[in-house]
Amino acid sequence: MWNIIIGIVFVIGGLTGKLALIGTNSGGLLALFGAGLIVWGVVQIAKSRK
C-alpha cells in the first residue's frame, strides 16, 4: 500500500517538475519510477487477495 502512495507522489512531483530523480535531475524518469511503484503495489494487493 505504501509503495502506491509513494509512487503517486513521485509521478505527480516528477510531472510537475517539483521533484527529480537523484543523479539525473530528470522529472520524467522519476515519474516513470513512480509508475513502476504503483504497478508493483497493485500486483502485491492482487496477490494478497487470492
Side-chain angles (χ1 to χ4, degrees):
M1 179 69 177
W2 285 106
N3 44 2
I4 295 173
I5 296 168
I6 293 170
I8 291 170
V9 170
F10 282 0
V11 168
I12 293 171
L15 293 178
T16 60
K18 300 287 182 183
L19 298 174
L21 190 62
I22 295 174
T24 64
N25 289 331
S26 174
L29 284 177
L30 184 65
L32 185 64
F33 181 71
L37 281 176
I38 293 170
V39 169
W40 183 34
V42 170
V43 168
Q44 284 180 334
I45 289 174
K47 283 184 179 182
S48 70
R49 291 191 179 182
K50 286 186 177 181

